[in-house]
Amino acid sequence: MTAMTRTAAAKPELGPVTLEVLRNAFTATANEMDVTVWRTSRSTIVREMLDYSTAVFDRDGYNVAQSARIPGHLNSMSAGLRTIVAEFLPLDQWQEGDVVITNDPYCGGQHIPDILAYRPVFAEGKRIAIVGTLCHHLDMGGMAAGSYAASATEIFQEGLRIPPLKLLRGGVMNDDVLAMMLQNVRRPDMLMGDLQAQLASLAVGHGTMLRLATRFGADTIIEACTRLLDGSERAMRAMIGRIPDGRYSFEDFLDDDGILPDPIRIHAEIEVKGEEMVVDLSGCGKQATGPINATVASSGSAVYYAVMAIADKEIPANAGCYRPVSLIVPEGLIVNPRHPAPVANRVAVGHRLATTMFGALHQAVPGRVPAAYYGVSYVCSFQTIGEQGERGVLVEIEIGGTGAYDDQDGLNAFSYGMHNNASIPIEMIEADVPLTVTAYGLIDGSGGAGRHRGGLGLFREWRVDSAAAVFTANLERFKFKPYGLEGGEPGREGHLYLIRNGERQALGSKINNLPLLKGDIIRLETSGGGGYGPAAERLPAAIGKDRLCRYA
């Protein structure tokens, strides 16, 4: 037998063992891409906060494997890719060495700071897969630093929109597009560094998928992707089939949209019938004037997250999980706005939709669902201005307390739900921009009381050390507290303050381009999580620990 014959015969058939090997290999590929972004990125929001995601898709654009990153990204990256190929760049136009990008929320994206980037993988003359990254970039222009304008009333004010296009064509950079991008942002060095990290990550994913194709064969990779999607669909159908049939509904509210003072309803009605689930969002409020609208990619991501989070058995996370879940999302609502509605703070809807879904699902499977977590990305952005006009940009996304479960307390200041961000180390902030973090800790008693208490929120203070600065905030949960369950009490609401010359002034939840002076301090207090069960049933030992640790 020749060496060539032995090599050809060595390619394994796609039995259950080989399929499991490939499932783990695809996940490892996404994880390798994840580490590449982390090690090569420049901005604190990517390198330290870890606001990015990576995934592997089948040849048609459905995600088959993902890294352990941001749920809000991962459940929408496939929808974004499918929108691109269905409406803008059909897959027959994708060639070896191409990299397709977009950040346009109305072309498959979520909001302007998030740049989606995809690269096809070809082997044996066939497109076998696509690898993708999503990074939240520090700034993409617009009327506020960090592209988080709290007073925007149309998307044109929110920053530079990139339609689906080829940043690389056949491996050659489109320098004109790149120059246009760098010309329109406040920190072009950071944009360039993080964009190069995305391209490096795609190269790593591309190379690993090619090696797998060499070992197993192109057709085996294609078939494995199909079978993995089908397997997750079967598992999700079985999980839904174990939920009692019926209709379950819940509502929660957003404080306001930053322009008008009226609260905005978030409502979900869930129908479980056999192995399928229909989620009707028709009861949500109309699209907002301010920038808290969420495109279907964002809203659908929150729905899928909530359903997958209540699974009673482990299910490999991929696009097959979405197939048994149907969405009813009429256009013109805050969960599916019409162009050109602003969407910078779309995650406000995502978080609130997740807690609304949990509230409804609690009625169906009460033992699996916690009380409401903090349910908001506490986004604060600073633009510092030096004596010579030099400018720095910091985007912070803080978290709060998680909701309690029926068998345990909530977690304090823990990234949860639609989040999976890390805290930017104080040293990194102070080394990058002229700001000093003067206080950082847990807020006593901010978790909702209950048989099991909610987790505590946190406080953080930033002092301006530059000649001047501008501050923008896109916050929530200042009016409507995170709910408790089964008699548990709600968590404490959030607060924001300006401290100037020792005097504290309360601010609203949404602030756009507030001028700051040297020495001014911004203090943020985030919300706690809801409690679970009546507080009268809390064990004496737990009460004693709460007092000792100042949790109550």
Side-chain angles (χ1 to χ4, degrees):
M1 182 181 291
T2 65
M4 183 176 294
T5 303
R6 285 196 301 271
T7 302
K11 290 184 178 180
E13 296 182 1
L14 189 55
V17 174
T18 303
L19 183 63
E20 183 65 10
V21 168
L22 284 173
R23 183 182 74 82
N24 284 280
F26 296 159
T27 301
T29 301
N31 289 335
E32 289 177 349
M33 295 170 65
D34 178 334
V35 171
T36 302
V37 174
W38 175 52
R39 288 184 176 275
T40 61
S41 55
R42 290 284 304 280
S43 71
T44 53
I45 197 168
V46 179
R47 187 188 72 240
E48 305 294 342
M49 192 182 294
L50 309 180
D51 199 343
Y52 67 90
S53 294
T54 57
V56 176
F57 305 81
D58 74 357
R59 67 194 311 269
D60 296 317
Y62 296 97
N63 66 302
V64 294
Q66 58 196 41
S67 58
R69 289 264 49 88
I70 313 294
H73 293 169
L74 296 166
N75 290 337
S76 68
M77 289 178 71
S78 183
L81 179 51
R82 291 297 306 159
T83 299
I84 291 170
V85 302
E87 301 180 18
F88 300 96
L89 287 171
L91 283 170
D92 60 11
Q93 297 180 14
W94 294 44
Q95 305 297 325
E96 179 63 57
D98 289 352
V99 171
V100 174
I101 68 168
T102 187
N103 71 337
D104 193 328
Y106 292 99
C107 298
Q110 288 207 14
H111 68 165
I112 285 174
D114 289 348
I115 295 182
L116 292 156
Y118 302 99
R119 178 174 176 174
V121 183
F122 292 87
E124 301 174 19
K126 305 172 185 178
R127 186 182 64 255
I128 62 168
I130 299 169
V131 291
T133 66
L134 186 158
C135 277
H136 182 141
H137 286 261
L138 180 66
D139 183 81
M140 290 300 297
M143 61 191 294
S147 308
Y148 256 103
S151 61
T153 56
E154 54 184 7
I155 197 168
F156 307 112
Q157 300 167 329
E158 295 189 316
L160 177 67
R161 293 165 66 192
I162 307 167
L165 54 79
K166 293 184 179 182
L167 182 64
L168 272 72
R169 187 183 297 272
V172 178
M173 176 67 72
N174 188 330
D175 290 325
D176 293 336
V177 168
L178 182 61
M180 180 269 297
M181 293 168 62
L182 297 176
Q183 188 77 2
N184 282 278
V185 303
R186 292 171 175 83
R187 289 294 302 270
D189 55 333
M190 294 298 177
L191 173 62
M192 188 65 185
D194 289 347
L195 193 60
Q196 288 176 321
Q198 287 189 262
L199 297 177
S201 174
L202 294 177
V204 168
H206 178 269
T208 303
M209 292 301 292
L210 278 183
R211 288 192 292 275
L212 290 173
T214 300
R215 178 178 175 185
F216 293 94
D219 290 336
T220 301
I221 299 298
I222 294 170
E223 184 183 353
C225 290
T226 298
R227 288 173 59 177
L228 289 172
L229 292 172
D230 291 345
S232 287
E233 178 186 0
R234 288 193 299 272
M236 180 62 82
R237 288 186 179 277
M239 188 277 287
I240 294 173
R242 293 189 291 272
I243 299 174
D245 283 0
R247 290 179 177 269
Y248 311 98
S249 63
F250 196 81
E251 69 178 14
D252 203 346
F253 291 86
L254 294 164
D255 294 347
D256 53 58
D257 69 356
I259 305 295
L260 301 176
D262 305 319
I264 301 168
R265 186 187 192 217
I266 301 295
H267 179 273
E269 181 170 303
I270 301 171
E271 181 182 12
V272 178
K273 189 174 182 179
E275 295 185 340
E276 296 187 348
M277 179 183 292
V278 178
V279 179
D280 187 350
L281 303 182
S282 301
C284 292
K286 296 184 182 301
Q287 70 182 58
T289 302
I292 63 170
N293 300 287
T295 62
V296 172
S298 297
S299 302
S301 179
V303 169
Y304 296 137
Y305 157 72
V307 177
M308 294 169 69
I310 65 150
D312 54 351
K313 295 182 180 180
E314 185 175 350
I315 301 174
N318 60 46
C321 298
Y322 314 152
R323 294 174 181 171
V325 182
S326 301
L327 298 180
I328 300 175
V329 197
E331 194 176 38
L333 301 181
I334 195 168
V335 289
N336 185 14
R338 294 187 179 93
H339 181 272
V343 298
N345 195 22
R346 94 289 181 214
V347 76
V349 170
H351 282 295
R352 200 56 41 81
L353 188 51
T355 58
T356 300
M357 287 288 297
F358 284 149
L361 291 167
H362 171 71
Q363 301 164 27
V365 286
R368 300 185 213 164
V369 179
Y373 70 102
Y374 54 93
V376 53
S377 293
Y378 286 93
V379 181
C380 299
S381 64
F382 295 83
Q383 179 173 237
T384 60
I385 305 168
E387 296 285 357
Q388 306 303 317
E390 63 274 18
R391 295 173 183 243
V393 176
L394 171 70
V395 177
E396 283 262 49
I397 303 178
E398 293 298 342
I399 55 176
T402 76
Y405 285 82
D406 68 341
D407 61 351
Q408 68 180 53
D409 292 342
L411 301 174
N412 302 327
F414 186 80
S415 189
Y416 191 82
M418 298 298 288
H419 265 145
N420 194 19
N421 297 118
S423 177
I424 301 178
I426 292 171
E427 296 85 352
M428 294 297 101
I429 295 173
E430 296 176 352
D432 188 52
V433 290
L435 295 168
T436 297
V437 177
T438 58
Y440 186 32
L442 299 175
I443 301 172
D444 299 351
S446 54
R451 181 173 65 249
H452 296 288
R453 61 161 182 81
L456 274 57
L458 61 80
F459 61 86
R460 196 162 193 169
E461 295 182 359
W462 302 266
R463 187 188 67 213
V464 176
D465 294 334
S466 57
V470 178
F471 175 72
T472 296
N474 285 266
L475 313 177
E476 261 292 325
R477 285 296 194 199
F478 279 35
K479 300 175 184 177
F480 297 95
K481 302 177 181 181
Y483 61 78
L485 287 177
E486 299 295 329
E489 297 180 13
R492 179 180 180 268
E493 73 281 358
H495 296 272
L496 182 68
Y497 301 97
L498 167 63
I499 304 173
R500 176 174 289 169
N501 298 325
E503 296 185 4
R504 179 183 294 194
Q505 174 188 349
L507 302 174
S509 63
K510 298 169 183 68
I511 302 292
N512 199 71
N513 288 336
L514 175 70
L516 299 178
L517 306 174
K518 186 173 185 177
D520 284 352
I521 294 174
I522 292 291
R523 177 183 173 90
L524 171 65
E525 298 178 359
T526 69
S527 54
Y532 199 108
E537 297 179 3
R538 189 158 180 80
L539 295 175
I543 295 174
K545 182 179 178 181
D546 289 343
R547 291 172 178 166
L548 179 65
C549 298
R550 296 191 301 176
Y551 288 165

